[in-house]
Structure formats: C-alpha cells, structure tokens
Amino acid sequence: MQRAVRFLVLLLVGLALLAVVGYVVLARTTRAWFEHDLALRSQLAVSSARQSLESNWSSGRKQLSGALADITRDERIMAAAACTPQGELLAATDSYPAEFSCRSVLERMRHEAATGAETWSMSPELPSGRVNLSVTMLGPPAAPLGAVVLVHDLSYLSRREVATRNFLVVAFFVLSLAASVITLVAARIAWRGWTLELGRALTGEATTEFQPLVRNVRELVERLASEREQEVRGGRWSPARLRSILTQYLNGERVLLLANRAPYIHERTDGGVEVLHPASGLVSALEPVMRACSGVWVAHGSGSADRQTVDAHDHIRVPPGEESYSLRRVWLSEEEENGYYYGFSNEGLWPLCHVAHARPVFRAADYEIYARVNQRFADAICDEVDSDDPIVLVQDYHFALAPRMIRERLPRATIIAFWHIPWPNSERFGICPWREELISGLLGASIVGFHIQQHCNNFIDGVDAFMESRIDRETHAVVQGSRRTLVRPYPISIEWPVHWLEHVPPVDEARSSVRRELGLAQDTLLGVGIDRLDYTKGIEERLAAVDELLMRYREFRGKFTFVQLAAPSRTKIPRYRELNERVQAVASEIDRKWSSDGYRPIVLLREHHEPTSVFRYFRAADLCYVSSLHDGMNLVAKEFVAARDDEQGVLVLSQFTGASRDLTEALIVNPYDLRQASDALAAALRMPKDEQRERMRSMRRLVSEFNVYRWAGRMLVDAAELRRKERLTGRLGTSGIFGRSARA
Ligand code: ADQ
C-alpha cells in the first residue's frame, strides 16, 4: 500500500510538470501562429486598399481617413494611420493610440527597410492591453509615398491564453483524480489478493507459485520471533525473568506440568514423616521452574506417606515452608506401576533410546497398561485446567501418548512435550512394536523438544519413516492436516544460582570434612562420580578408568581416591540389580588391587544423598568424572561447575552426553577408551591451578547464562508465539477462558 501511495505521488508530480511544460509550449506556439496570421491579414488589408490609399495619398486628410476607415472594418484591426516618409501624420482613424507617433514608428521602420523588409510588426503593451502594430510601405521602394500603420487588437489572444490555461488546469485535475482512483483500486485489489494468499500460507494452504513469497513471510515472522527472543534474552535469565515471560507473553497463565516423578516424596520413617528430594535430573531442572511460574505439578504419588499428606483433592502445596505451587498426586496400583513404569517405560523405552547395549523388552501387557496410565494422567491434567487453552508441559518418555490424549479433550491447549533422553535413529526406533502410536502420541503436542539437534533430526526421520504427514524441514515442523508440531532443541540446564548451595559449607570446609568422614588423609587427591545407579551412566567403565590410571600412573597410587555416590534406581528390574552387583564387584576388585595401609582407591556409597550432601562432595573434589555411555544432557556435569565458586576442580566428561556440546572446556573423553580416559584423569590431577581457573571460569559463565530459566523461557516464548499465530489464523479464537467452573 505504501508503494502505491509513493507511485501515486510520483505520478501526480509528473502530471503537474507535464501540464506546466505543455502550457508554455502551447502558449508560445499559438502566439506565433496568431502573429503570423496578423501579419498576413495586415498585408491583405493594405493590399486591397493599396489603390485607394495611393490615389488619395495627396488628396487630403478627409479622403485618406475614409480609406483608412475602410481598412478598420476588419474586426481585429483597431486603428490605422498614414505617415509621410519624414514621420508626419497624414491621417488617422479616431481610435489610433497617441503612444504610436509616426516619428517613433518610422524610425524603427527605417531600420527594418535596411534589411529589405516591406512590412514590419511589433507587440507593445498599452494600459488598455496588448496590441500588435504592423507597418506597410506604400509606393516604389526608391521613392516611397509613406507608410500605413495598423493597430491590431490582441485582447482576444490573451483571452484564448487564459482559456487554454484553465483547460489545462482542469485537465490536470481530472487526470490526477483518475490516476489516483485507478492506482488505489489496483493497489487494493493486489493487497487483497496478497492478504488472502498470506492467510492461506499461514494456514498451510498456499499455492506452489506463492511459495517464494510464503517463504519470505515465514522468514519475516521468524525473524520477528527471534528478535522478540533477543529482546527477552538480554540480561541473565532468572525466576523473575521467567515470570515476566508468563505475564508479558502468556497473560500470566499458570503452567500445568505432567511428570512421573514428584519433586517432594513423603516417606514414613521411624522418626515420623520425612520429605525426600528424588535423584532425578528432570526434577532438579523443573522444580525451580515451577517455583518461578506457579501452577500445578501432576505426578505419581510413590512415597509411603504421600497419601496422608494430601488434601481431599490429592493436592499439597509445595515447597514445604515456601509454598508457591501445587503438587497433585496420582495413585497407581502395583500392577499399573509395574506395567507402565518398570515395564514399558524402563525395560522398553529406556534401553530403546540409549545406546548402552541393554536389550529392550516389549510386552504387549505392559504397553496396554502404559496407555491406560497415560490416559489417567492426561485426565488428571484436564481436571486441573481453568481455561480451555492452558499451557501444559508434558515431561519425558513415561508420557509419549499423553499429548494426543490431552489434545483430544482440550483441542486449544498449548502442549509442550519434552523428551529428556536421547531419541534413537529410525532403524533403532523401528524395532518398537508401537512406534507409530508413540510418534502419533507425541505429535499431539504443539512443540516437541529435545536437548540437541541430533535427537530432533532422529525424531523427524522417524516421523518421515513411519507416519503419514508432511515435514517442513525449513521450520522444523511436522504438519498433519491443519495441525503443526514444532520439533526444536532446548538444551536443559540447572538453576543459577543453585539454592541448595546456601546450605553447603565453602570449598575448604567441604574438602576437609569429606576427607575426614571418609577416613582419608587431608592431602588425598579426590575424584567424584554422582549418579543414579544406571547402566547408561558408565559407572563400570569409570571405575575401570581409575584402575587404568593407577596402573599406568604410579604417582597416584596411595594418593588418589575416587568416591562414587550411586543412588539405587529401578531396583525391581533385573538389569539394574545386576548392575548393582557388578559395580560392587568392580569396586571391590580395584580396592583389592590397589589399597594399602588404610589407602582406599574407591569409595562406593550406594545410597541416596540429599542435594546439600551431593553439592558438598562436588566442593570437596579435585575432579568430577561423568562417563555416561549415552545421556540426553547430564546435569551432574553442570551441577559440579555450579558448585565450584572457587573456580578450581576439573571436569572429565563423556563425549556421549548432551552436556559435552555445551561444556567444551571440560576434558572430553570416550568412556570406552580406558587409555584415553585414564590419561584425562591424570591430566586433570596434574593441571595447574591457573588452567583450572580458566576452564572453570569459562564453564561457569556458560552455565550461569544458559540456565534452566532460559530453557523454560525459550519454550514458553515459542509457545506464546505459536498461540499468537494460532489466534491470528483463527484456530485458537480470541478468548480462551471459559471460567473456573471447568475445574469442578
Ligand atoms: P537423569 O538420568 O536422572 O536425568 P542427570 O541429568 O545426570 O540424569 O540428573 C541426575 C540428578 O540426580 C542430578 O540432579 C543429581 O544431582 C541427582 N543425583 C544423582 N545421583 C544422586 C545420588 N546418589 N543421590 C542424590 N541425588 C543424586 C534425565 C536424563 C538426563 C537429563 C535429565 C534432565 O537421563 O540426560 O540431563 O533427565 O533432562
């Protein structure tokens, strides 16, 4: 439209210039025509009266005046005069102007006669208006009788000029008006066509010819979105910043979170009811997000005292003492827990998604229970909503089917499904008998998130291989009918600063107290590993690397101890029980090989530790070794970095973790390569303090900026953008609130 206005202004200026130039050229041409016409008329008039004039020239004033009066019968000839060659007036008609004396006229005529001209004319201005004067010689040139002076009226010429000018001005306005109307109508038609096409493009129905433009529009929309992200990105992400995203972009909507594990588990103990914080990367990451956002966390109530601590609607306000959000517990029977959690989730999906050489077990009965339990949790989420377009965060492989189930009940919901573990390539994923159902379940979400791009690519390849859908590789989206699911990487992280650290002693104190408690000399070099006891974490390979270190680097024998905190996990599953035994056996074997006079190379603490205890170990250590065989992200690596506010300590990190993409200042190793891993452990123990500081400082800067608030914030900003687009294309309507009664 702006272009059309610009075009119109240029057109009008052009027309105006054309009119002015046209007027000047026309005026000059018509004047020249008229003057030529007058000269001819004069000659004709004098020629026809020549005989009578010449015969009466000397007969007296009266006769001569009569002949002159005959000439002025022509309507355009105002007056006439007869002059002697000496410049005396012989006779003149009554209206002859006094300004043109014979003397002045003949003086000029003499000058013209020298050029051989017989007639001569000029157009002087009189108070009464412009006139034309023409002089014609009579008699032979050698002895002229005199001259006849004719005065022509030019007022009609001025009148014609005014009329022409008026005509041109009117023509200019008419033409301008017509041009404006035509331009605006044309622009309007083009704009309408464009908007219709844009609408079709946004709803995914664009024609192929329109594709380049659609791409431009999409690029623009995306650029605006990323500019908006830039805008919100400025400064460090914090709980306050995350809250402002909710209020600014999502109208303060609260968040509904679905995760299997609850952040607070109440256990009955001899001393009464105790609150436990589970060893779970998902919980460590999401709990600070829920504190910041408020809302409801729906999870399995697995603690022995969970039922006695909830209200009549199975809710409890948490965190204890700092209540900021609700925890809704869902109860599962033992059969449900076995089929859904231990069976399909952890004997099927967990080994399927990790390259850790454990064979997945797929039982149809487990899958049926998995589907049923997903439905129960999806229903629990729908019970908690207070609008028909809530924001729901569905977490992890326990709930692959829930996004579609929620979508069926709440078509306008914004559902973000985040998959915390790797997504395998299609060949691997294809072995799952329910591969289509799982992918279809996830595609019920508005956004499917993974930690890294590679997992997104694997997922999209899986969709391509097993589903009927269109893949928009440019925007990383899967399109099914009119619905679009974005597939994006969101690398997860930890809170910054870590609130647990407020209750953890400083590094010096932690170093000495931990060594004291473990019965180690104060100058012992200490390595630490902290994990759930899971075969994907590479604990056996880690201990073997310590063995290799002591074997290849004598200097560390008797000096270096590795302490492994291993929280028992999924102990109902045989593979985990087996791992438990194997880790114990490997640790005992290394101890047997290298211990002497109270020196212990390995300290294995197979128990759950509360977060403050975990962070105390991080502070006490000289190095932390994360040796996962395959890990979506791995938060232990980031927690170690967060704990080291003294900027000391070295992180040795497996290249098969998502974290190795972020923490490039760590010593990155292949945990299967024991020689390389033991070299890295030795390098870490020998590393000068300055180098430790430099590496640690750089990693701390990264983790502090790329913290978990950023992770959640980026997803919410994308969700907000999606909601805005859906509202624009009419898929979400304008007001989503249907009242609190929905909750009852
Ligand atoms: P997890 O497999 O649970 O997470 P991780 O990310 O390392 O792995 O998180 C473990 C959490 O448990 C950490 O917060 C750690 O402090 C805690 N923890 C470990 N051992 C403990 C112990 N002995 N006692 C108490 N607490 C302990 C999954 C994926 C990861 C991904 C996260 C988050 O497998 O790849 O990083 O989700 O998305």
Side-chain angles (χ1 to χ4, degrees):
M1 206 61 180
Q2 225 176 348
R3 271 192 186 180
V5 171
R6 225 180 296 147
F7 170 76
L8 189 62
V9 170
L10 282 175
L11 188 75
L12 294 182
V13 170
L15 278 175
L17 275 175
L18 205 68
V20 170
V21 172
Y23 170 71
V24 171
V25 171
L26 203 68
R28 280 198 185 160
T29 315
T30 47
R31 178 170 295 273
W33 283 345
F34 283 130
E35 281 176 1
H36 181 67
D37 181 47
L38 282 178
L40 276 177
R41 275 176 180 250
S42 303
Q43 274 177 6
L44 263 174
V46 173
S47 298
S48 55
R50 186 179 286 268
Q51 224 176 351
S52 128
L53 283 169
E54 283 180 354
S55 56
N56 289 315
W57 199 258
S58 346
S59 320
R61 181 178 297 261
K62 202 169 170 200
Q63 281 84 346
L64 199 51
S65 295
L68 291 175
D70 282 346
I71 294 175
T72 57
R73 266 193 214 117
D74 186 319
E75 57 174 350
R76 301 263 170 86
I77 299 174
M78 273 170 64
C83 301
T84 66
Q86 293 72 35
E88 284 161 18
L89 182 69
L90 282 179
T93 55
D94 295 343
S95 52
Y96 187 79
E99 287 88 342
F100 307 129
S101 68
C102 282
R103 198 168 299 281
S104 66
V105 169
L106 287 180
E107 224 160 80
R108 183 72 198 266
M109 189 205 72
R110 253 182 228 121
H111 173 75
E112 292 292 323
T115 66
E118 274 194 10
T119 47
W120 158 77
S121 73
M122 65 182 227
S123 301
E125 187 82 41
L126 288 182
S128 55
R130 268 191 30 208
V131 293
N132 178 278
L133 216 59
S134 70
V135 181
T136 309
M137 297 303 290
L138 288 181
L145 281 177
V148 176
V149 182
L150 299 182
V151 180
H152 298 267
D153 177 16
L154 285 187
S155 63
Y156 76 97
L157 191 54
S158 301
R159 280 197 305 276
R160 278 202 185 168
E161 279 175 359
V162 169
T164 309
R165 198 173 57 216
N166 290 346
F167 171 77
L168 279 174
V169 168
V170 171
F172 166 74
F173 277 113
V174 170
L175 273 176
S176 302
L177 196 69
S180 308
V181 170
I182 290 168
T183 308
L184 291 176
V185 169
R188 177 97 192 127
I189 290 167
W191 171 256
R192 229 179 130 231
W194 190 85
T195 26
L196 283 177
E197 200 62 51
L198 177 63
R200 296 223 301 281
L202 290 174
T203 51
E205 298 162 18
T207 56
T208 44
E209 307 90 85
F210 196 60
Q211 281 306 311
L213 187 52
V214 172
R215 204 176 312 127
N216 291 348
V217 172
R218 287 220 182 107
E219 272 167 18
L220 180 68
V221 168
E222 266 156 25
R223 212 181 65 221
L224 290 177
S226 87
E227 275 167 14
R228 182 186 289 195
E229 200 202 327
Q230 296 282 350
E231 181 198 313
V232 294
R233 196 186 279 166
R236 180 164 292 170
W237 280 88
S238 63
R241 199 166 186 79
L242 190 57
R243 268 194 299 274
S244 87
I245 294 291
L246 273 178
T247 46
Q248 207 177 332
Y249 297 116
L250 295 157
N251 307 324
E253 286 162 86
R254 59 193 196 130
V255 164
L256 297 172
L257 186 140
L258 172 57
N260 171 70
R261 187 66 64 215
Y264 299 94
I265 299 175
H266 289 85
E267 288 289 353
R268 218 173 289 124
T269 63
D270 296 341
V273 172
E274 206 181 301
V275 184
L276 288 186
H277 305 92
S280 153
L282 181 154
V283 170
S284 306
L286 281 157
E287 208 276 334
V289 171
M290 285 305 283
R291 278 179 194 237
C293 296
S294 87
V296 187
W297 181 315
V298 178
H300 173 208
S302 60
S304 54
D306 274 357
R307 279 181 195 265
Q308 74 190 67
T309 47
V310 292
D311 64 15
H313 303 286
D314 301 326
H315 286 104
I316 176 172
R317 295 286 296 166
V318 288
E322 303 166 52
E323 288 75 13
S324 54
Y325 66 97
S326 289
L327 172 59
R328 156 85 188 272
R329 286 176 172 146
V330 174
W331 316 112
L332 297 179
S333 67
E334 197 180 346
E335 186 212 13
E336 284 174 325
E337 196 179 355
N338 285 341
Y340 140 81
Y341 179 73
Y342 292 110
F344 192 70
S345 295
N346 287 313
E347 284 189 279
L349 292 179
W350 180 269
L352 175 72
C353 293
H354 289 93
V355 181
H357 323 290
R359 175 180 289 207
V361 179
F362 296 118
R363 300 181 199 96
D366 287 349
Y367 176 74
E368 277 159 26
I369 297 176
Y370 178 86
R372 210 163 67 217
V373 170
N374 266 246
Q375 187 64 62
R376 286 197 52 204
F377 277 96
D379 290 345
I381 283 285
C382 297
D383 290 346
E384 297 295 330
V385 300
D386 60 3
S387 76
D388 66 350
D389 61 348
I391 296 165
V392 185
L393 307 183
V394 178
Q395 302 299 306
D396 228 353
Y397 59 100
H398 311 95
F399 296 117
L401 305 179
R404 185 160 299 283
M405 293 166 170
I406 297 169
R407 169 80 54 218
E408 271 157 19
R409 282 190 57 184
L410 297 166
R412 287 148 49 90
T414 299
I415 304 169
I416 302 173
F418 193 81
W419 196 261
H420 289 256
I421 62 177
W423 187 275
N425 63 34
S426 306
E427 205 178 345
R428 192 178 171 87
F429 186 72
I431 68 171
C432 177
W434 299 281
R435 59 194 186 188
E436 286 90 359
E437 287 84 344
L438 295 173
I439 293 179
S440 164
L442 283 169
L443 289 178
S446 325
I447 300 178
V448 177
F450 297 92
H451 294 300
I452 59 174
Q453 186 63 50
Q454 190 193 332
H455 301 156
C456 297
N457 297 346
N458 286 348
F459 179 77
I460 287 185
D461 288 347
V463 174
D464 204 9
F466 307 121
M467 305 299 292
E468 285 288 324
S469 59
R470 185 169 71 78
I471 292 164
D472 183 344
R473 289 188 191 268
E474 213 169 298
T475 58
H476 303 287
V478 177
V479 185
Q480 286 186 309
S482 66
R483 279 213 57 257
R484 172 177 283 269
T485 301
L486 302 182
V487 181
R488 295 269 162 92
Y490 301 97
I492 207 166
S493 193
I494 55 170
E495 61 174 333
W496 191 280
V498 175
H499 75 283
W500 299 111
L501 286 171
E502 289 164 21
H503 312 289
V504 176
V507 170
D508 285 348
E509 220 178 298
R511 281 181 76 90
S512 60
S513 67
V514 164
R515 282 167 177 74
R516 209 171 35 246
E517 279 166 31
L518 297 177
L520 304 172
Q522 284 298 315
D523 61 350
T524 302
L525 293 168
L526 195 69
V528 68
I530 301 183
D531 312 80
R532 285 181 305 99
L533 200 38
D534 194 294
Y535 53 85
T536 60
K537 302 295 180 184
I539 300 172
E540 289 169 82
E541 286 76 4
R542 189 179 310 167
L543 299 182
V546 172
D547 184 35
E548 186 84 1
L549 171 83
L550 296 176
M551 194 172 70
R552 295 178 59 227
Y553 294 89
R554 289 175 152 266
E555 65 192 276
F556 299 119
R557 293 181 196 164
K559 295 262 170 50
F560 175 67
T561 293
F562 192 84
V563 57
Q564 174 67 48
L565 273 60
S569 180
R570 308 168 191 170
T571 45
K572 270 196 176 180
I573 300 174
R575 182 71 178 83
Y576 284 81
R577 288 203 298 274
E578 200 183 298
L579 173 77
N580 187 20
E581 284 159 23
R582 285 200 356 218
V583 165
Q584 178 61 68
V586 173
S588 304
E589 175 59 17
I590 297 170
D591 258 349
R592 194 190 56 72
K593 260 167 89 178
W594 304 109
S595 56
S596 63
D597 305 332
Y599 165 64
R600 295 159 68 195
I602 303 286
V603 177
L604 179 60
L605 302 175
R606 278 178 300 163
E607 60 205 7
H608 176 80
H609 287 71
E610 279 299 284
T612 46
S613 173
V614 167
F615 280 97
R616 197 166 65 99
Y617 277 93
F618 284 139
R619 283 193 163 168
D622 295 292
L623 68 83
C624 173
Y625 183 19
V626 172
S627 56
S628 308
L629 305 181
H630 203 190
D631 220 331
M633 176 54 69
N634 192 285
L635 294 182
V636 169
K638 295 188 175 180
E639 287 172 350
F640 175 65
V641 168
R644 300 314 296 257
D645 48 8
D646 62 334
E647 298 179 341
Q648 293 295 301
V650 182
L651 176 64
V652 182
L653 181 59
S654 160
Q655 68 187 74
F656 305 120
T657 59
S660 68
R661 264 91 164 163
D662 293 348
L663 303 175
T664 49
E665 306 297 326
L667 302 182
I668 309 288
V669 298
N670 174 353
Y672 294 100
D673 184 344
L674 297 184
R675 182 169 280 258
Q676 186 197 49
S678 60
D679 284 345
L681 292 175
L685 293 170
R686 288 171 177 166
M687 190 180 285
K689 284 192 177 313
D690 281 353
E691 188 180 344
Q692 291 188 35
R693 180 167 297 111
E694 224 168 283
R695 286 172 181 269
M696 187 56 83
R697 191 176 284 172
S698 147
M699 289 191 288
R700 283 175 66 79
R701 204 175 306 128
L702 185 126
V703 179
S704 65
E705 278 180 22
F706 289 69
N707 58 34
V708 77
Y709 305 113
R710 181 182 185 274
W711 172 77
R714 281 191 55 225
M715 287 196 299
L716 292 177
V717 167
D718 285 352
E721 188 59 26
L722 207 69
R723 281 163 90 95
R724 201 180 62 80
K725 277 187 199 161
E726 287 185 347
R727 282 195 171 121
L728 271 179
T729 52
R731 245 180 265 140
L732 212 60
T734 45
S735 101
I737 309 298
F738 65 72
R740 304 223 153 227
S741 57
R743 188 160 176 188

Short mmCIF file of all heavy atoms in Angstrom, two decimals, residues 222 415 417 442-443 445-450 459-460 475-478 483-488 490 718-719 721-722 725:
data_model
loop_
_atom_site.label_atom_id
_atom_site.label_comp_id
_atom_site.label_asym_id
_atom_site.label_seq_id
_atom_site.Cartn_x
_atom_site.Cartn_y
_atom_site.Cartn_z
N GLU A 222 9.53 -15.36 11.44
CA GLU A 222 10.53 -15.98 12.30
C GLU A 222 11.56 -14.97 12.79
O GLU A 222 12.01 -15.02 13.91
CB GLU A 222 11.22 -17.13 11.55
CG GLU A 222 10.54 -18.43 11.85
CD GLU A 222 10.75 -19.47 10.78
OE1 GLU A 222 11.75 -19.36 10.06
OE2 GLU A 222 9.90 -20.33 10.66
N ILE A 415 0.51 -27.47 24.13
CA ILE A 415 1.15 -28.60 24.82
C ILE A 415 2.61 -28.66 24.39
O ILE A 415 2.92 -28.74 23.19
CB ILE A 415 0.43 -29.93 24.46
CG1 ILE A 415 -1.06 -29.82 24.81
CG2 ILE A 415 1.09 -31.09 25.19
CD1 ILE A 415 -1.91 -30.96 24.28
N ALA A 417 5.80 -30.98 24.76
CA ALA A 417 6.30 -32.28 25.23
C ALA A 417 7.82 -32.23 25.20
O ALA A 417 8.40 -31.89 24.17
CB ALA A 417 5.79 -33.38 24.31
N LEU A 442 3.06 -38.21 20.57
CA LEU A 442 3.88 -37.00 20.76
C LEU A 442 3.44 -35.88 19.82
O LEU A 442 3.51 -34.70 20.17
CB LEU A 442 5.36 -37.33 20.53
CG LEU A 442 6.03 -38.05 21.70
CD1 LEU A 442 7.40 -38.58 21.29
CD2 LEU A 442 6.16 -37.14 22.92
N LEU A 443 2.99 -36.27 18.61
CA LEU A 443 2.59 -35.23 17.64
C LEU A 443 1.28 -34.54 18.05
O LEU A 443 0.86 -33.58 17.41
CB LEU A 443 2.47 -35.82 16.23
CG LEU A 443 3.82 -36.19 15.59
CD1 LEU A 443 3.60 -36.81 14.21
CD2 LEU A 443 4.75 -35.00 15.49
N ALA A 445 1.29 -32.85 20.57
CA ALA A 445 1.83 -31.64 21.21
C ALA A 445 2.00 -30.52 20.18
O ALA A 445 2.08 -30.76 18.98
CB ALA A 445 3.18 -31.95 21.84
N SER A 446 2.07 -29.30 20.69
CA SER A 446 2.33 -28.15 19.82
C SER A 446 3.83 -28.06 19.55
O SER A 446 4.25 -27.69 18.46
CB SER A 446 1.88 -26.85 20.49
OG SER A 446 0.74 -27.04 21.26
N ILE A 447 4.61 -28.39 20.57
CA ILE A 447 6.07 -28.37 20.43
C ILE A 447 6.59 -29.68 21.01
O ILE A 447 6.17 -30.09 22.09
CB ILE A 447 6.70 -27.20 21.22
CG1 ILE A 447 6.17 -25.85 20.73
CG2 ILE A 447 8.23 -27.23 21.13
CD1 ILE A 447 6.71 -24.64 21.50
N VAL A 448 7.50 -30.35 20.29
CA VAL A 448 8.22 -31.50 20.87
C VAL A 448 9.67 -31.06 21.01
O VAL A 448 10.30 -30.67 20.03
CB VAL A 448 8.11 -32.74 19.96
CG1 VAL A 448 8.92 -33.89 20.56
CG2 VAL A 448 6.65 -33.18 19.82
N GLY A 449 10.19 -31.11 22.24
CA GLY A 449 11.55 -30.63 22.50
C GLY A 449 12.51 -31.75 22.86
O GLY A 449 12.12 -32.73 23.50
N PHE A 450 13.75 -31.60 22.40
CA PHE A 450 14.83 -32.50 22.78
C PHE A 450 16.01 -31.63 23.22
O PHE A 450 16.02 -30.42 23.00
CB PHE A 450 15.26 -33.36 21.58
CG PHE A 450 14.16 -34.26 21.06
CD1 PHE A 450 13.30 -33.85 20.06
CD2 PHE A 450 13.97 -35.52 21.61
CE1 PHE A 450 12.28 -34.68 19.59
CE2 PHE A 450 12.95 -36.36 21.15
CZ PHE A 450 12.12 -35.94 20.14
N PHE A 459 14.15 -37.79 15.38
CA PHE A 459 12.70 -37.84 15.55
C PHE A 459 12.01 -37.55 14.22
O PHE A 459 11.09 -38.27 13.79
CB PHE A 459 12.24 -36.84 16.62
CG PHE A 459 10.75 -36.81 16.83
CD1 PHE A 459 10.11 -37.83 17.54
CD2 PHE A 459 9.98 -35.79 16.31
CE1 PHE A 459 8.73 -37.81 17.72
CE2 PHE A 459 8.60 -35.77 16.48
CZ PHE A 459 7.98 -36.79 17.20
N ILE A 460 12.47 -36.50 13.54
CA ILE A 460 11.85 -36.12 12.26
C ILE A 460 12.03 -37.25 11.24
O ILE A 460 11.10 -37.58 10.49
CB ILE A 460 12.43 -34.78 11.77
CG1 ILE A 460 11.85 -33.68 12.65
CG2 ILE A 460 12.11 -34.54 10.30
CD1 ILE A 460 12.20 -32.28 12.28
N THR A 475 11.19 -25.11 8.71
CA THR A 475 10.79 -24.57 10.01
C THR A 475 10.85 -25.66 11.08
O THR A 475 10.44 -25.44 12.21
CB THR A 475 9.35 -24.01 9.96
OG1 THR A 475 8.49 -25.07 9.54
CG2 THR A 475 9.23 -22.87 8.98
N HIS A 476 11.36 -26.83 10.73
CA HIS A 476 11.46 -27.96 11.66
C HIS A 476 10.10 -28.27 12.26
O HIS A 476 9.92 -28.27 13.48
CB HIS A 476 12.48 -27.67 12.77
CG HIS A 476 13.83 -27.34 12.25
ND1 HIS A 476 14.66 -28.29 11.72
CD2 HIS A 476 14.49 -26.17 12.16
CE1 HIS A 476 15.77 -27.71 11.30
NE2 HIS A 476 15.70 -26.42 11.56
N ALA A 477 9.14 -28.51 11.39
CA ALA A 477 7.79 -28.78 11.87
C ALA A 477 7.21 -29.99 11.14
O ALA A 477 7.60 -30.30 10.01
CB ALA A 477 6.90 -27.57 11.63
N VAL A 478 6.31 -30.68 11.84
CA VAL A 478 5.59 -31.80 11.24
C VAL A 478 4.15 -31.32 11.06
O VAL A 478 3.54 -30.81 12.01
CB VAL A 478 5.63 -33.04 12.16
CG1 VAL A 478 4.80 -34.17 11.55
CG2 VAL A 478 7.06 -33.49 12.38
N ARG A 483 -2.87 -29.14 11.52
CA ARG A 483 -2.09 -29.00 12.76
C ARG A 483 -0.61 -29.12 12.46
O ARG A 483 -0.16 -29.87 11.62
CB ARG A 483 -2.50 -30.06 13.78
CG ARG A 483 -3.77 -29.66 14.54
CD ARG A 483 -3.77 -30.15 15.97
NE ARG A 483 -2.62 -29.68 16.70
CZ ARG A 483 -1.56 -30.41 16.98
NH1 ARG A 483 -1.48 -31.66 16.59
NH2 ARG A 483 -0.56 -29.91 17.66
N ARG A 484 0.15 -28.33 13.24
CA ARG A 484 1.59 -28.25 13.03
C ARG A 484 2.27 -28.49 14.37
O ARG A 484 1.87 -27.91 15.38
CB ARG A 484 1.86 -26.85 12.50
CG ARG A 484 3.26 -26.40 12.34
CD ARG A 484 3.26 -25.00 11.73
NE ARG A 484 2.99 -25.07 10.31
CZ ARG A 484 3.93 -25.16 9.37
NH1 ARG A 484 5.19 -25.14 9.72
NH2 ARG A 484 3.62 -25.24 8.11
N THR A 485 3.27 -29.36 14.39
CA THR A 485 4.04 -29.59 15.63
C THR A 485 5.48 -29.17 15.37
O THR A 485 6.12 -29.69 14.46
CB THR A 485 4.01 -31.08 16.01
OG1 THR A 485 2.65 -31.46 16.19
CG2 THR A 485 4.76 -31.33 17.30
N LEU A 486 5.94 -28.23 16.17
CA LEU A 486 7.34 -27.81 16.01
C LEU A 486 8.24 -28.81 16.71
O LEU A 486 7.90 -29.32 17.78
CB LEU A 486 7.57 -26.44 16.66
CG LEU A 486 6.73 -25.27 16.17
CD1 LEU A 486 7.13 -24.00 16.90
CD2 LEU A 486 6.94 -25.10 14.66
N VAL A 487 9.39 -29.09 16.11
CA VAL A 487 10.36 -30.01 16.73
C VAL A 487 11.64 -29.21 16.94
O VAL A 487 12.29 -28.82 15.97
CB VAL A 487 10.61 -31.23 15.83
CG1 VAL A 487 11.58 -32.19 16.49
CG2 VAL A 487 9.29 -31.95 15.54
N ARG A 488 11.97 -28.91 18.19
CA ARG A 488 13.05 -27.95 18.45
C ARG A 488 14.01 -28.44 19.53
O ARG A 488 13.59 -29.14 20.47
CB ARG A 488 12.46 -26.63 18.96
CG ARG A 488 11.60 -25.90 17.99
CD ARG A 488 12.44 -24.90 17.18
NE ARG A 488 11.75 -24.48 15.97
CZ ARG A 488 10.96 -23.42 15.88
NH1 ARG A 488 10.75 -22.67 16.93
NH2 ARG A 488 10.38 -23.11 14.74
N TYR A 490 16.06 -27.76 22.87
CA TYR A 490 16.13 -26.86 24.04
C TYR A 490 17.07 -27.52 25.04
O TYR A 490 16.63 -28.38 25.81
CB TYR A 490 14.75 -26.68 24.68
CG TYR A 490 13.69 -26.12 23.77
CD1 TYR A 490 12.79 -26.97 23.12
CD2 TYR A 490 13.58 -24.76 23.56
CE1 TYR A 490 11.82 -26.47 22.27
CE2 TYR A 490 12.60 -24.24 22.71
CZ TYR A 490 11.73 -25.11 22.07
OH TYR A 490 10.77 -24.60 21.24
N ASP A 718 8.38 -19.58 22.64
CA ASP A 718 7.95 -20.25 21.40
C ASP A 718 6.47 -20.62 21.48
O ASP A 718 5.73 -20.50 20.50
CB ASP A 718 8.79 -21.51 21.15
CG ASP A 718 10.18 -21.17 20.65
OD1 ASP A 718 10.42 -19.98 20.37
OD2 ASP A 718 11.03 -22.07 20.56
N ALA A 719 6.05 -21.07 22.67
CA ALA A 719 4.64 -21.43 22.85
C ALA A 719 3.76 -20.19 22.67
O ALA A 719 2.71 -20.26 22.03
CB ALA A 719 4.43 -22.04 24.22
N GLU A 721 4.44 -17.56 20.95
CA GLU A 721 4.45 -17.19 19.53
C GLU A 721 3.47 -18.06 18.74
O GLU A 721 2.70 -17.58 17.91
CB GLU A 721 5.88 -17.36 19.00
CG GLU A 721 6.11 -16.86 17.62
CD GLU A 721 5.81 -15.37 17.46
OE1 GLU A 721 5.88 -14.62 18.47
OE2 GLU A 721 5.47 -14.98 16.36
N LEU A 722 3.46 -19.34 19.09
CA LEU A 722 2.57 -20.30 18.45
C LEU A 722 1.11 -19.94 18.73
O LEU A 722 0.26 -19.97 17.84
CB LEU A 722 2.89 -21.68 19.01
CG LEU A 722 2.61 -22.86 18.14
CD1 LEU A 722 3.58 -22.88 16.98
CD2 LEU A 722 2.77 -24.14 18.95
N LYS A 725 0.10 -17.01 16.67
CA LYS A 725 -0.14 -17.37 15.27
C LYS A 725 -1.47 -18.11 15.15
O LYS A 725 -2.23 -17.87 14.22
CB LYS A 725 0.98 -18.27 14.76
CG LYS A 725 2.20 -17.51 14.31
CD LYS A 725 3.18 -18.47 13.66
CE LYS A 725 4.56 -17.85 13.62
NZ LYS A 725 5.59 -18.85 13.43
#
